[in-house]
Amino acid sequence: DAKTTQPTSMDCAEGRAANLPCNHSTISGNEYVYWYRQIHSQGPQYIIHGLKNNETNEMASLIITEDRKSSTLILPHAKLRDTAVYYCIVRDAGGTSYGKLTFGQGTILTVHP
Amino acid sequence: NAGVTQTPKFQVLKTGQSMTLQCAQDMNHEYMSWYRQDPGMGLRLIHYSVGAGITDQGEVPNGYNVSRSTTEDFPLRLLSAAPSQTSVYFCASTKGTSGQTQYFGPGTRLLVL
């Protein structure tokens, strides 16, 4: 699976948009970009994933650049409870990867009042 | 659905003791996995299973055994606990082996003295 690079930490004001970047310059054509988050002491929670097109769900939006070498997770109106570690993961959705996720260090997002 | 459940929530062991961490899911997911998370680190894959009767090693399998006799349950056994196994253990499940979305349990916090 392709390696990802994320900033160690970011701050965001409550109610503002939080934009979390992720670089994955070695991504291959059949690899998806996944985002998970981990709120303190809890199990990771799936947020969103995408292949080429931008994606949006009730939690967030995912913007993938045209060359697919980077992406941005957007929390449109950050809340205090969105404070968490956010993981960007790139992986093959099929083949022999059998659903294995490789977690890096992630980005610590702190939402402040 | 209860989702993914793990027991116990906390456990203290002495070096050399054995124990089993329980994991169950009621979503009829084929794929299940175990991760460990050390302080300040991302999750690392210990073992995984793509279906009943099939298991395989992940990134850090030494000192752990698993079995998958039913679709619902995926216990993790520590054969002879060591202080290096002090960690938080997360179980996860996914429908199918493509790993589109992994659902994580709440975790088991293990301290080995």
Side-chain angles (χ1 to χ4, degrees):
Chain A
D1 292 342
K3 183 178 178 180
T4 61
T5 304
Q6 300 177 250
T8 301
S9 63
M10 296 183 64
D11 287 337
C12 179
E14 186 179 18
R16 304 296 293 269
N19 298 287
L20 289 83
C22 179
N23 286 324
H24 32 78
S25 59
T26 60
I27 192 170
S28 62
N30 60 344
E31 289 182 316
Y32 285 72
V33 179
Y34 286 80
W35 283 85
Y36 282 76
R37 74 179 182 183
Q38 188 174 23
I39 297 172
H40 180 63
S41 300
Q42 299 181 19
Q45 176 190 24
Y46 166 81
I47 301 172
I48 199 168
H49 75 281
L51 182 63
K52 297 180 183 177
N53 300 323
N54 298 337
E55 302 288 345
T56 296
N57 63 21
E58 65 279 3
M59 290 182 67
S61 295
L62 174 61
I63 308 299
I64 302 174
T65 58
E66 191 169 344
D67 63 7
R68 302 185 70 240
K69 293 184 185 301
S70 66
S71 60
T72 301
L73 177 74
I74 301 172
L75 307 179
H77 305 287
K79 303 175 181 58
L80 297 178
R81 62 175 180 268
D82 291 325
T83 293
V85 180
Y86 286 77
Y87 296 100
C88 170
I89 300 167
V90 174
R91 62 168 301 277
D92 189 343
T96 59
S97 63
Y98 296 123
K100 290 179 284 186
L101 296 177
T102 301
F103 286 80
Q105 296 285 76
T107 296
I108 301 170
L109 174 67
T110 302
V111 181
H112 52 85
Chain B
N1 287 350
V4 180
T5 58
Q6 293 183 236
T7 57
K9 287 187 172 56
F10 303 97
Q11 184 70 49
V12 179
L13 291 178
K14 295 181 179 178
T15 297
Q17 287 185 315
S18 63
M19 78 159 295
T20 299
L21 280 63
Q22 301 293 342
C23 174
Q25 52 90 10
D26 61 358
M27 298 173 283
N28 200 31
H29 286 173
E30 294 90 340
Y31 179 91
M32 296 184 73
S33 53
W34 276 102
Y35 296 84
R36 61 176 287 174
Q37 185 173 34
D38 299 325
M41 305 285 289
L43 281 72
R44 292 184 292 170
L45 183 65
I46 305 172
H47 284 286
Y48 64 96
S49 167
V50 300
I54 306 170
T55 64
D56 206 345
Q57 297 180 349
E59 180 186 354
V60 287
N62 292 341
Y64 308 94
N65 273 358
V66 291
S67 60
R68 184 93 180 273
S69 57
T70 67
T71 300
E72 294 78 19
D73 300 298
F74 191 42
L76 178 72
R77 297 185 189 84
L78 279 69
L79 308 174
S80 177
S84 61
Q85 293 178 303
T86 293
S87 190
V88 181
Y89 292 84
F90 291 102
C91 179
S93 75
T94 305
K95 182 173 178 58
T97 57
S98 64
Q100 289 291 331
T101 302
Q102 288 205 8
Y103 296 86
F104 286 82
T108 293
R109 283 157 182 74
L110 177 67
L111 172 63
V112 183
L113 302 174

